Amino acid sequence: MGQTIVVRDLRKRYGDVQAVNGVTFEVEEGEFFGILGPNGAGKTTTLEIIEGLRQADSGTVEIFGQSPWPRNPKLLPRIGVQLQASAFFERLTAREQIRTFASLYGTAQAEADEMLEVVGLADKAATPAEKLSGGQAQRLSIACALVHGPDLVFLDEPTAALDPQARRNLWDLLRDINKQGRTVVLTTHYMDEAESLCDRVAIMDRGEILQSGAPATLVRGLDSMTHISIESGLLSLTEAKALAGPGDDVTDDGVSLQFSTPSPAPLLAALAERRALGGLRVRGATLEDVFLHLTGREYRA
Amino acid sequence: MNALSSLSRAMLLGFLRDKASVFFTILFPLMFLLLFGVLLQDPGVSKSDVVQIGAVPIVDQMPADARARIGEVAALTKSTDREDALAKVRTGDIDAVVEQTGDTVVLHYSAADQVRAGSVRGVFDSLIMSANTADRPPKYSLDSRQVEDASLKPIQYLTPGLLGWAVAMGATFGAAMTLVTWRQKKILRRLRLSPAPTGAVVAARVGVSVGLALVQTAIFIGVAMTPYFGLTLSPFWWMSIPLVIAGTLAFLSVGLLAGGVAKTAEGASGIANLVVLPMAFLSGAFFPMEGAPSWLQAVSQVMPLRYLNEGMIDVMVRGQGPSAVLMEMGVLLGFTAVVSIIVVKVFRWDDV
């Protein structure tokens, strides 16, 4: 498969801040690629340079083998960009919004109406965009980005500020978009989202990519503890400490008895043998642990 | 639909569905027209320029105290070129022409400035009355003649001035608000990411603003022509259409500049108000500038609205031909060109 996006040693400085500091990565055709990072990591600037909204100080970007800067009208019809939910014309209904965007690309009105159906907004077609709920507005925003059938889609934090139902609902939509063969580039703060959707992620901080790869590979590469918890009272703390290995940590807060261990298999076997598995929860490392391990835990605004 | 027509449609619908915008752009100036049309008051006037043609014995032979009284309200000068003097009354350069044939004193004045015409007539009325008291039956009579159609009313000169202000306001606010809100809502960014040419965005705004300005013109003229107000248009009124278009372009560029400089809708509206409202007062949109101090008149000469108003009065009321407003249109278009260059310099697609 070909490379849809090739980024080489991208750099961009704003005054004293080196926003992007030598970013290199590739996105393959049909891939679901995630860019993760805390606020101010340089995700947005990197995306804006790739989309052709900003000029890099140095480095190269190629999309479908072409440079997006300066504004490249041949490239634009092949790219769909979803900005934040409020990027709508004021006081137009959902149908008018998507038809307006469709006409900018020379796409037929009927296709615009069809896309509204795809994102499940056919019954909201006559509702002004301002009156849509958060999830509906995001779906409309994504529909507007997809209306001209782009091969490459950029999604900027598409599930920010959505309730859990709306997020899951949107994930299904995003998976469908990717299954149709489109390449998707996503930025997000939600690690579960990236883990669930992305084939590959890049974790960015301070303008650099710290690590990239498949989420599962990154998690496995993190040498971390597994947390096992059962109901309190099944075992006394002394019994529990006897079962645990030498490096393990055991605590009982009166609700749950919790073990933190680097080798969960023998411990689980021992617990099973004693029929002490009531309320069992096993939590391994997640992408979030990888993220925090790489970017640190200090608070940042 | 192509990009231009769909963007124009989006802009127009966005405007029409915003009741406040419709009110302030179309109804608000119309309210001023009704208000001024109904309650026209004497704003107080400066000395009037009166030109005397040939011998006017009643003026030439008037006593010194009468001459002094007239001198307080009118500056008399003599001329022999009758046609030239009458033309100057029509264009508003002088206020009245006086001549005498036999015992009839003929006063030519312009209805474009009712107040001034009234004060000049008052002066000559009293002059003739005092001359008549000596002899009876009355020897002299005053024949006042308007240089324009005799049916003119205040609405004739209120309409062009207020319409100019309405067009300036509509164009400035429309452009400033679109630019700022579209930038804030990232619609500009979204458009930049679409293959639609940048020119289509600008052309859509120009088209919508010019269309709205022409609708404003039609509504203004329509209301002013109702029997209650009784506006009669001069034969060359249609020249007000290209003038309105030129004025709209000039104020569109002002609006784009305000929208380019301002970061928020409130800021843009503030800047637009700061520019248009004082300009309206200084350009004679609400009252004639002739009474203002000369430095203020000099200031008004650099205001584009002044040229729009002058041109509108020339073709709608004074009955001047199309060529009379070419200079005004040239000034407006030149202003547009200069401001547009600055607009391109300050234009930003994004807030950051």
Side-chain angles (χ1 to χ4, degrees):
Chain A
M1 276 201 280
Q3 306 290 345
T4 297
I5 302 176
V6 180
V7 177
R8 291 268 174 268
D9 200 26
L10 213 57
R11 283 170 205 276
K12 178 80 182 175
R13 173 180 279 277
Y14 295 120
D16 291 341
V17 185
Q18 186 71 46
V20 181
N21 190 14
V23 165
T24 297
F25 67 90
E26 287 163 8
V27 180
E28 282 185 18
E29 189 185 329
E31 200 173 19
F32 205 128
F33 188 79
I35 301 179
L36 312 180
N39 288 330
K43 304 186 298 277
T44 308
T45 307
T46 304
L47 267 195
E48 284 173 352
I49 293 171
I50 297 171
E51 290 162 359
L53 289 170
R54 286 181 201 282
Q55 185 175 21
D57 294 340
S58 67
T60 59
V61 180
E62 278 186 10
I63 298 184
F64 305 113
Q66 297 184 49
S67 170
W69 183 274
R71 192 170 183 255
N72 187 340
K74 271 184 290 186
L75 214 45
L76 294 172
R78 299 187 67 186
I79 302 174
V81 179
Q82 176 259 331
L83 301 170
Q84 65 196 64
S86 66
F88 294 128
F89 295 100
E90 62 277 33
R91 292 176 287 279
L92 293 198
T93 67
R95 188 191 288 114
E96 287 164 347
Q97 299 283 359
I98 195 162
R99 284 185 172 184
T100 304
F101 280 114
S103 75
L104 297 180
Y105 292 86
T107 303
Q109 310 266 285
E111 280 176 62
D113 295 349
E114 220 167 274
M115 184 53 71
L116 220 46
E117 196 107 27
V118 169
V119 298
L121 286 175
D123 57 330
K124 296 283 172 191
T127 307
E130 288 91 343
K131 297 236 165 77
L132 295 174
S133 74
Q136 289 164 347
Q138 285 291 16
R139 277 186 282 154
L140 178 59
S141 176
I142 290 168
C144 289
L146 293 176
V147 69
H148 56 289
D151 302 319
L152 170 61
V153 185
F154 292 96
L155 303 166
D156 194 5
E157 297 183 14
T159 64
L162 294 190
D163 61 41
Q165 284 82 3
R167 282 182 72 205
R168 298 298 141 117
N169 183 311
L170 204 58
W171 286 2
D172 291 337
L173 174 64
L174 299 182
R175 277 195 202 97
D176 287 342
I177 291 166
N178 185 234
K179 271 188 211 147
Q180 291 158 7
R182 300 182 216 276
T183 309
V184 181
V185 177
L186 167 91
T187 67
T188 183
H189 282 307
Y190 299 110
M191 297 302 140
D192 55 339
E193 184 165 295
E195 216 166 344
S196 159
L197 292 174
C198 297
D199 299 322
R200 224 151 47 84
V201 297
I203 297 177
M204 264 190 98
D205 197 15
R206 299 194 168 86
E208 293 172 26
I209 291 186
L210 302 175
Q211 213 163 51
S212 67
T217 314
L218 295 185
V219 172
R220 259 181 252 133
L222 188 70
D223 194 15
S224 77
M225 297 288 203
T226 301
H227 307 285
I228 299 169
S229 68
I230 57 172
E231 284 169 21
S232 282
L234 295 173
L235 287 175
S236 73
L237 195 58
T238 333
E239 286 173 298
K241 279 184 174 160
L243 285 178
D248 298 1
D249 187 35
V250 185
T251 53
D252 190 341
D253 61 3
V255 179
S256 306
L257 177 67
Q258 182 163 322
F259 302 84
S260 297
T261 172
S263 45
L267 182 59
L268 282 169
L271 287 172
E273 210 168 279
R274 287 169 178 262
R275 300 189 175 281
L277 292 177
L280 175 72
R281 280 184 65 216
V282 180
R283 194 176 73 81
T286 62
L287 197 56
E288 189 146 348
D289 296 310
V290 178
F291 181 81
L292 292 173
H293 175 74
L294 289 171
T295 61
R297 284 172 178 272
E298 79 271 27
Y299 175 76
R300 300 184 209 171
Chain B
M1 279 203 285
N2 61 19
L4 175 59
S5 64
S6 70
L7 285 175
S8 305
R9 185 168 179 273
M11 255 179 232
L12 191 62
L13 286 176
F15 168 77
L16 293 177
R17 287 176 188 169
D18 182 10
K19 301 285 177 288
S21 294
V22 175
F23 173 79
F24 278 106
T25 311
I26 296 190
L27 293 180
F28 187 59
L30 203 58
M31 275 169 49
F32 271 72
L33 181 73
L34 301 182
L35 203 68
F36 279 106
V38 173
L39 310 167
L40 182 71
Q41 288 176 342
D42 185 348
V45 283
S46 60
K47 275 191 190 178
S48 307
D49 292 315
V50 178
V51 172
Q52 174 188 337
I53 308 292
V56 179
I58 194 166
V59 173
D60 296 337
Q61 295 158 19
M62 69 184 161
D65 62 322
R67 188 172 289 276
R69 251 189 305 122
I70 283 193
E72 280 169 21
V73 289
L76 271 169
T77 47
K78 292 192 180 187
S79 168
T80 50
D81 189 343
R82 183 172 183 275
E83 284 314 308
D84 175 58
L86 284 176
K88 279 184 175 161
V89 176
R90 272 189 208 99
T91 57
D93 291 338
I94 59 172
D95 299 302
V97 165
V98 63
E99 55 185 347
Q100 187 169 0
T101 36
D103 290 339
T104 304
V105 177
V106 182
L107 186 68
H108 304 271
Y109 64 92
S110 168
D113 190 347
Q114 282 293 57
V115 176
R116 197 173 289 274
S119 73
V120 173
R121 260 161 66 188
V123 168
F124 280 90
D125 267 332
S126 68
L127 182 66
I128 283 163
M129 265 167 68
S130 61
N132 280 342
T133 45
D135 339 65
R136 16 187 120 210
K139 184 177 176 209
Y140 300 108
S141 65
L142 180 68
D143 179 8
S144 311
R145 293 183 194 163
Q146 230 167 261
V147 291
E148 302 95 351
D149 189 287
S151 64
L152 293 190
K153 290 183 181 176
I155 196 78
Q156 303 288 88
Y157 46 94
L158 277 176
T159 309
L162 288 173
L163 178 55
W165 170 61
V167 164
M169 223 175 49
T172 309
F173 278 83
M177 288 303 165
T178 304
L179 186 54
V180 170
T181 54
W182 282 25
R183 187 171 58 225
Q184 268 189 324
K185 292 185 140 214
K186 306 215 182 283
I187 296 171
L188 282 186
R189 167 184 286 219
R190 188 67 186 71
L191 292 174
R192 197 178 167 205
L193 288 167
S194 82
T198 313
V201 184
V202 179
R205 186 64 251 177
V206 171
V208 168
S209 284
V210 167
L212 285 176
L214 293 177
V215 168
Q216 277 178 310
T217 308
I219 293 177
F220 253 72
I221 294 180
V223 168
M225 281 181 81
T226 55
Y228 179 75
F229 291 108
L231 173 77
T232 35
L233 291 170
S234 91
F236 299 110
W237 72 272
W238 48 265
M239 265 310 279
S240 64
I241 293 172
L243 254 174
V244 162
I245 294 174
T248 304
L249 292 177
F251 284 95
L252 265 177
S253 65
V254 171
L256 289 176
L257 186 58
V261 174
K263 285 195 162 53
T264 61
E266 291 78 8
S269 139
I271 294 175
N273 260 322
L274 207 62
V275 173
V276 177
L277 205 58
M279 195 189 296
F281 280 100
L282 293 176
S283 302
F286 300 121
F287 48 77
M289 280 305 289
E290 281 78 12
S294 58
W295 65 269
L296 213 54
Q297 295 205 31
V299 169
S300 103
Q301 293 296 331
V302 300
M303 307 267 172
L305 189 52
R306 167 83 190 229
Y307 295 90
L308 179 59
N309 286 340
E310 283 290 316
M312 296 285 271
I313 290 179
D314 281 350
V315 290
M316 286 174 72
V317 177
R318 291 189 181 134
Q320 297 202 28
S323 60
V325 293
L326 291 180
M327 189 274 276
E328 276 86 359
M329 283 180 64
V331 169
L332 289 171
L333 294 175
F335 177 85
T336 308
V338 171
V339 177
S340 297
I341 292 169
I342 307 173
V343 166
V344 171
K345 298 253 182 243
V346 302
F347 179 81
R348 288 166 293 142
W349 286 96
D350 268 301
D351 281 321
V352 197

